[in-house]
Amino acid sequence: MLKILVTGGAGFIGSAVIRHIIQNTQDTVINVDKLTYAGNLESLACVMDSARYAFEQVDICDHAELDRVFSTYQPDAVMHLAAESHVDRSITGPADFIQTNIVGTYTLLEAAREYWNTLEGDRKSAFRFHHISTDEVYGDLPHPDEMIGNLPLFTETTPYAPSSPYSASKASSDHLVRAWLRTYGFPTIVTNCSNNYGSYHFPEKLIPLVILNALEGKPLPIYGKGDQIRDWLYVEDHARALYKVVTEGKVGETYNIGGHNEKQNIDVVKTICVILDELRPKKTQYAEQITFVTDRPGHDRRYAIDASKMSRELNWQPQETFETGLRKTVEWYLANQDWCNNVQNGSYQRERLGTLEQELQS
Ligand SMILES: NC(=O)c1ccc[n+]([C@@H]2O[C@H](COP(=O)([O-])OP(=O)(O)OC[C@H]3O[C@@H](n4cnc5c(N)ncnc54)[C@H](O)[C@@H]3O)[C@@H](O)[C@H]2O)c1
């Protein structure tokens, strides 16, 4: 039975990780989250009464507060998910990304290392710092438009080439984590995952935004031609993968996690429309709401993960196909309109973010 300190546990993936741990293991979780616009404790309603769950509203840039949390709870492992995570927001406001993703990761590494230095024997050797990162650090891959034959995939040794302020800040944090392993012998593991989707996803991201706009009769915005390819993974499959890595992964290793689901954005949106036509029929088809808008600056064209190391070494495979996972996701949003209304709470109304015009005005 482990005590796991999860940062960013009120966010989309962090809350899935905490629900997974509380509902499927005997481990204890300490959720350290600042509760930015993206953090919502409602996403943890089904586990927050558990005696094995604790919450601390703390900014990972606050070293003194982190010291207090480490010494109070004496965790066996850290799963670090706290981050600014939306590429569009990073275009108009990169400062928060530099602060949380780089300075915050540095501060957390230092607080965790100081705590680890106080441990002895088995507790010290078994300690793990698991840094959760993205495949966006690798930049983009050739698109089927540009290349014939077998298209390459991201592997654990693909060189870093981030394109956006978000992915550059995540790449920086990955480098810091590896440097703490190499320089201080601090026991770190890194995972890089493809695009997640599923329940409790903040409605600024493509899939929830399209579902909610469709239901409200609003335009379904497609950036550029909509031919960008992402490799979609159901969030609960990611949560299972992350728990495997923190409990069974090898110190110093990197694991790529992906869903073997390469889809063009336009096809994702059309599939959502077809599911909604069936589950919430109306006089016109939802696909008629599709609208093409200016592309995101620096938009990566294709991501795709080779997740064979996760399968070979940790015996992990995704359980959901894109079709089953997307249907579950649409059903969840239809049944949880209250959650959607509460998390948007007036400050964000699914408006377009991250254009260069907005950047010039800010
Ligand atoms: N969403 C994806 O598709 C995806 C894919 C691969 C990797 N990732 C990575 O997984 C992690 C989680 O992503 P997500 O989609 O759940 O993000 P999210 O934006 O939904 O949640 C981030 C959480 O971090 C918290 N947070 C932000 N700044 C903080 C700070 N300074 N101190 C403490 N808490 C803070 C927020 O309150 C929020 O609860 C991120 O590191 C992200 O880079 C995400």
Side-chain angles (χ1 to χ4, degrees):
M1 283 186 290
L2 298 173
K3 269 190 274 178
I4 305 178
L5 190 159
V6 175
T7 71
F12 169 48
I13 302 172
S15 68
V17 167
I18 293 179
R19 291 191 302 273
H20 174 77
I21 295 175
I22 298 295
Q23 290 171 344
N24 298 288
T25 77
Q26 290 307 308
D27 297 344
T28 296
V29 170
I30 305 101
N31 176 14
V32 171
D33 198 300
K34 179 181 171 183
L35 298 184
T36 66
Y37 78 94
N40 298 289
L41 292 177
E42 261 188 78
S43 308
L44 294 159
C46 59
V47 295
M48 62 183 16
D49 291 336
S50 167
R52 292 182 289 112
Y53 170 80
F55 173 62
E56 291 281 352
Q57 184 167 3
V58 166
D59 185 336
I60 56 161
C61 300
D62 186 336
H63 200 140
E65 273 292 87
L66 290 176
D67 286 347
R68 178 185 63 75
V69 170
F70 275 104
S71 90
T72 306
Y73 295 96
Q74 303 276 314
D76 302 297
V78 172
M79 297 176 82
H80 175 34
L81 296 103
E84 288 293 335
S85 70
H86 189 36
V87 176
D88 285 345
R89 286 181 193 263
S90 82
I91 294 166
T92 34
D96 287 348
F97 289 72
I98 305 303
Q99 186 63 19
T100 286
N101 300 0
I102 306 178
V103 178
T105 298
Y106 155 72
T107 311
L108 181 68
L109 278 167
E110 278 298 78
R113 185 170 71 90
E114 286 158 19
Y115 160 73
W116 173 70
N117 277 331
T118 67
L119 299 177
E120 287 175 355
D122 288 350
R123 286 212 68 207
K124 185 165 191 174
S125 54
F127 185 83
R128 297 287 179 269
F129 184 100
H130 176 184
H131 177 61
I132 285 83
S133 193
T134 165
D135 61 353
E136 300 191 30
V137 298
Y138 301 125
D140 60 0
L141 288 165
H143 192 275
D145 279 358
E146 302 155 10
M147 196 178 156
I148 311 166
N150 279 346
L151 293 172
L153 304 172
F154 293 136
T155 72
E156 286 79 2
T157 55
T158 300
Y160 276 36
S163 310
S164 69
Y166 163 66
S167 53
S169 67
K170 290 297 292 186
S172 305
S173 65
D174 295 11
H175 291 320
L176 289 174
V177 170
R178 292 201 182 91
W180 260 239
L181 169 87
R182 175 88 187 248
T183 305
Y184 304 110
F186 186 56
T188 63
I189 306 179
V190 177
T191 51
N192 296 87
C193 185
S194 59
N195 281 51
N196 284 217
Y197 69 100
S199 47
Y200 301 100
H201 204 180
F202 192 79
E204 65 189 354
K205 305 280 169 66
L206 179 70
I207 290 179
L209 184 135
V210 163
I211 297 170
L212 297 182
N213 274 16
L215 291 172
E216 290 174 21
K218 292 184 174 163
L220 310 181
I222 304 285
Y223 290 3
K225 290 190 283 178
D227 60 353
Q228 307 85 4
I229 294 175
R230 302 291 179 257
D231 177 359
W232 294 94
L233 179 68
Y234 191 60
V235 68
E236 292 175 20
D237 278 327
H238 190 196
R240 284 192 306 107
L242 294 177
Y243 187 73
K244 268 207 168 257
V245 169
V246 77
T247 52
E248 299 172 34
K250 272 202 210 137
V251 168
E253 294 291 325
T254 296
Y255 299 91
N256 277 1
I257 306 172
H260 314 295
N261 281 313
E262 283 188 57
K263 306 279 176 202
Q264 296 200 5
N265 285 348
I266 184 72
D267 294 330
V268 171
V269 173
K270 285 181 178 166
T271 310
I272 293 170
C273 290
V274 170
I275 298 173
L276 282 173
D277 285 337
E278 179 199 325
L279 297 180
R280 199 54 71 85
K282 59 180 177 113
K283 281 190 189 133
T284 54
Q285 294 194 323
Y286 288 96
E288 290 173 28
Q289 291 165 231
I290 290 175
T291 314
F292 291 89
V293 300
T294 329
D295 206 351
R296 168 189 282 165
H299 208 170
D300 286 332
R301 293 204 70 209
R302 174 171 169 258
Y303 304 138
I305 285 271
D306 175 353
S308 56
K309 181 171 171 181
M310 277 298 293
S311 159
R312 203 173 50 246
E313 297 189 9
L314 297 180
N315 192 25
W316 171 88
Q317 282 91 27
Q319 289 178 356
E320 297 291 343
T321 63
F322 189 64
E323 288 64 33
T324 58
L326 192 60
R327 179 170 284 268
K328 278 189 185 176
T329 304
V330 174
E331 286 169 349
W332 187 89
Y333 279 92
L334 288 174
N336 289 277
Q337 295 282 304
D338 283 352
W339 181 91
C340 300
N341 294 336
N342 294 345
V343 300
Q344 292 175 93
N345 69 25
S347 58
Y348 170 69
Q349 300 297 322
R350 303 198 297 282
E351 61 273 18
R352 175 80 196 261
L353 301 168
T355 64
L356 288 182
E357 292 71 30
Q358 288 166 333
E359 200 279 328
L360 288 171
Q361 283 158 18
S362 64

